[in-house]
Amino acid sequence: MNYNITVNPDKFIVATAVESNGNILTAKLFNSPVIKNDFDEILKDWYRNQNPADTFSKISKARYASIGKYKVDLWECKLCDSDLPELLQKEISEFVSRACKVGDNEIPPESFLKFLENLEENPSRKTIDNLYSFIGHNDIEIDKDGYVICYKVIREDWMDSYSGTINNSIGSVIKMPRNQIDDDDNRTCSKGLHAASLRYLRSSGYGQSSDGKWRLVKLRVNPRNFVSVPVDYDGSKARVCEYKVIEECDKSLLR
């Protein structure tokens, strides 16, 4: 076979092999500040030996990659030796595969890794099972510290829409004892602090009075502080035990 190696020492190694029948095989390995694979070792070996066949073989066999403490089998697209929920395992493995093979992700690797670290501190196995569904199926962001960005409609005087007793002014940190929040996902309206996606607020119209005397605010929630993801509205809202109000948003986001 004829081989060709293309190297960007900061970003990628691409190896191609042309078979006798003209079929072209391609093996790619991307560098990442977070995801650990054999990039550095293979790059050094290429500069040292300049053996394209050997480099192609090594890239093709670079089967495992890691993000933090998670090891991923890139061939099988699954985590190795993990007891995390199946959905979360699948998302982690696909994320690592994209980072290694494409090098461009919707969520920065640093943010995703911190999100996972925060999520593991959540005491509820059920919430860990459900939270990534909430994020994956809604217009929810993950910030640089791995916190989940959600939204809330409040009254014009900055008080909560339901009781009118909780001040949600910018910078406020709202807390409630976790054991006082309903963790039953089948009870769609129940006790707890609520956070939502924009999609939920658009669909439900919750708190949006016809006179326009309401505000839309953005919340920052640590994954460990999620308690429940109710089943209504396709799991697009959540009950949490703590959040911080970080800014007011334009109401046009809900149109």
Side-chain angles (χ1 to χ4, degrees):
M1 286 194 289
N2 295 318
Y3 298 92
N4 181 64
I5 307 295
T6 302
V7 174
N8 179 322
D10 297 320
K11 295 183 179 181
F12 59 80
I13 308 171
V14 178
T16 58
V18 182
E19 296 180 315
S20 58
N21 61 3
N23 187 38
I24 300 175
L25 306 176
T26 303
K28 302 178 183 179
L29 194 62
F30 285 83
N31 195 15
S32 166
V34 171
I35 295 167
K36 299 176 182 178
N37 52 30
D38 296 330
F39 184 89
D40 290 337
E41 180 182 338
I42 293 174
L43 182 65
K44 289 177 183 177
D45 184 72
W46 164 250
Y47 283 137
R48 183 169 55 245
N49 300 315
Q50 295 285 306
N51 186 325
D54 184 57
T55 299
F56 179 89
S57 177
K58 287 181 176 178
I59 294 176
S60 300
K61 293 177 180 178
R63 179 167 184 166
Y64 298 102
S66 297
I67 177 168
K69 66 180 181 181
Y70 303 103
K71 185 178 181 181
V72 177
D73 184 331
L74 295 173
W75 290 5
E76 301 292 336
C77 198
K78 67 180 183 181
L79 292 192
C80 304
D81 303 320
S82 175
D83 62 353
L84 285 174
E86 183 177 347
L87 178 63
L88 191 51
Q89 286 197 46
K90 183 174 183 292
E91 185 61 33
I92 294 171
S93 61
E94 288 181 352
F95 181 86
V96 173
S97 294
R98 290 196 302 271
C100 289
K101 296 178 180 177
V102 180
D104 184 22
N105 306 290
E106 293 180 2
I107 301 172
E110 296 87 348
S111 299
F112 189 72
L113 180 56
K114 289 179 180 178
F115 165 78
L116 293 173
E117 292 172 349
N118 292 328
L119 180 61
E120 286 200 338
E121 295 180 5
N122 194 302
S124 170
R125 177 73 183 197
K126 180 177 65 175
T127 303
I128 291 175
D129 286 352
N130 294 339
L131 184 55
Y132 206 85
S133 293
F134 169 73
I135 295 168
H137 290 89
N138 295 293
D139 45 7
I140 303 293
E141 305 168 39
I142 297 176
D143 73 10
K144 63 183 179 62
D145 295 315
Y147 281 50
V148 181
I149 303 301
C150 303
Y151 299 85
K152 191 177 188 74
V153 169
I154 59 174
R155 299 183 185 185
E156 193 174 42
D157 62 359
W158 299 95
M159 296 298 175
D160 69 289
S161 296
Y162 181 71
S163 70
T165 61
I166 301 175
N167 189 333
N168 284 269
S169 56
I170 306 303
S172 297
V173 177
I174 314 300
K175 300 181 181 181
M176 184 174 178
R178 189 181 187 101
N179 60 10
Q180 294 183 17
I181 296 175
D182 191 347
D183 62 357
D184 186 345
D185 297 336
N186 293 310
R187 281 199 284 270
T188 57
C189 294
S190 191
K191 190 174 183 180
L193 302 175
H194 292 83
S197 70
L198 291 173
R199 184 167 68 89
Y200 170 78
L201 295 174
R202 291 189 192 105
S203 300
S204 68
Y206 181 80
Q208 301 169 48
S209 57
S210 58
D211 59 10
K213 295 182 178 180
W214 51 274
R215 299 177 187 270
L216 174 66
V217 292
K218 184 180 289 188
L219 314 178
R220 189 170 183 260
V221 188
N222 191 314
R224 69 171 176 248
N225 292 327
F226 280 78
V227 178
S228 176
V229 180
V231 296
D232 65 333
Y233 288 93
D234 194 26
S236 56
K237 67 177 181 178
R239 290 191 284 266
V240 304
C241 61
E242 181 179 329
Y243 64 79
K244 182 176 182 178
V245 184
I246 57 174
E247 66 178 85
E248 183 175 12
C249 302
D250 194 299
K251 295 177 184 178
S252 64
L253 289 176
L254 298 186
R255 293 175 187 160

